[in-house]
Amino acid sequence: MILIFSFTFLLLEIVLAIYTNNSNLNIEIPTYSLENTQSFWYDINENFGTSHLPNNNYRQKKTCFDVTYQSNSKGFRDQERTMKSSNRRVLVIGDSFIEGVGVSREFRLSNLLEKEKKIPHLNFGMAGNFGSTQYYLLYKTLASSYTHDAILIGVLPANDFIDDDYEINLKINSDRYRPYLVGDYPHYSLTYHLDSIHKSRVHTKKLKPIKKIFKNFTYSYNVLLYAKSVLKQSIKKDHKIVSEDEIPGYFNYSEKQLNRLKYSLEQIKSIAGEREVMVFTIPVLRDIQNYKKHKNNPLGKEMSAFCKSTGIKYLDLLLETDKISKKDSEEQFLTCDGHWSKKGNVFAKKHIQSFFDYYN
């Protein structure tokens, strides 16, 4: 019986290995190492939820990249930074695109800007369902303590509207410890789905060593995690799966979703005082394809007007993508993952440093 089970499992592993490595699906694959942790993103901060364990390493391997992430003593994927400095410094805030998922640290946006401009760019990017409410709370409770004279914020419409929507996340992330703005603009109250961070399904105290072994040494477990993730992230509305075209993002968002984003940016601007606040919106590949087809950009127009009225500098990267070829657009993104590739980070760096007066 054991022999039959072992043979069947081995056969399943071979089949899944062949399928996964030829599918370009967004699935992590085994690293065959005990050094790897179960994850790099945990709900461990009482204010903004998701963060990294301090001084932690995590190797993420997929079919199109193999990168080891390292966190500093504050739990961010950046080099060690002093709290105080007399030099010009920029705080960089955002989600997984800013953190640089899928690329080595030296190839991501903040590092490219730091190298080119000789100005330290402190990276506070965070993956793991990190939205604009968390940008605001991260800046308010931690990042603002670092001396700086400018803030660069990357907004990802494809994720941020969903990540900040309390009602949507009651259906797909109610077991996560995450902050939400509840109410009507500008009268919001801050709430969390869980009354204790220790109840989160991704809190470190809930980690089980056996899962680490399965994750690092089998395709079966990682494919199962992927399947569960796809099922969970299918947004529900009136008990029906919302189609791809209806997912909140660049071309589909509600007034309430946009107002929450505006409010968070206003709060950051208020705390920043006289410091330069620079915001740019990041299109994913489907946004670029939709824009090339329809030439309509409602979010860009609304954000431009809002930022002008609040004294925030704004760049819409979607407009810049219309100037390049379809092939060049596709090469900006990792084929198995959808985050920026090295070329995507270089593209963003080029337009950010030429657009914002701060860099000129």
Side-chain angles (χ1 to χ4, degrees), residues 1-15:
M1 186 69 179
I2 295 177
L3 186 62
I4 295 175
F5 175 80
S6 299
F7 177 77
T8 303
F9 180 75
L10 179 61
L11 183 61
L12 176 64
E13 279 292 295
I14 293 173
V15 170

Side-chain angles (χ1 to χ4, degrees), residues 95-158:
D95 67 0
S96 53
F97 274 67
I98 299 303
E99 183 173 4
V101 167
V103 294
S104 298
R105 206 163 66 185
E106 65 267 29
F107 297 119
R108 65 183 178 171
L109 172 63
S110 60
N111 293 72
L112 295 174
L113 286 169
E114 179 164 328
K115 182 178 180 180
E116 175 109 356
K117 294 301 181 179
K118 311 300 182 192
I119 302 170
H121 281 64
L122 285 62
N123 193 304
F124 287 94
M126 187 63 62
N129 304 109
F130 210 78
S132 58
T133 301
Q134 289 161 296
Y135 304 167
Y136 153 49
L137 292 174
L138 165 62
Y139 182 63
K140 176 184 178 182
T141 63
L142 177 62
S144 60
S145 299
Y146 288 77
T147 53
H148 59 288
D149 60 313
I151 309 149
L152 181 64
I153 306 170
V155 173
L156 185 71

Side-chain angles (χ1 to χ4, degrees), residues 241-304:
I241 302 297
V242 174
S243 69
E244 183 78 7
D245 292 336
E246 295 176 309
I247 295 176
Y250 239 106
F251 301 100
N252 186 59
Y253 53 87
S254 69
E255 183 179 2
K256 285 188 175 182
Q257 290 168 341
L258 180 59
N259 281 341
R260 281 191 288 266
L261 171 60
K262 289 179 177 179
Y263 179 83
S264 294
L265 294 177
E266 285 173 343
Q267 298 310 301
I268 292 175
K269 175 62 178 173
S270 176
I271 298 169
E274 296 301 315
R275 299 181 184 94
E276 186 92 337
V277 178
M278 303 172 283
V279 172
F280 63 99
T281 43
I282 304 168
V284 295
L285 186 56
R286 74 167 183 266
D287 295 324
I288 296 172
Q289 293 168 341
N290 284 336
Y291 183 65
K292 285 183 179 293
K293 183 178 180 180
H294 301 294
K295 298 299 180 183
N296 184 35
N297 182 14
L299 179 63
K301 293 177 182 178
E302 293 212 53
M303 285 295 295
S304 181

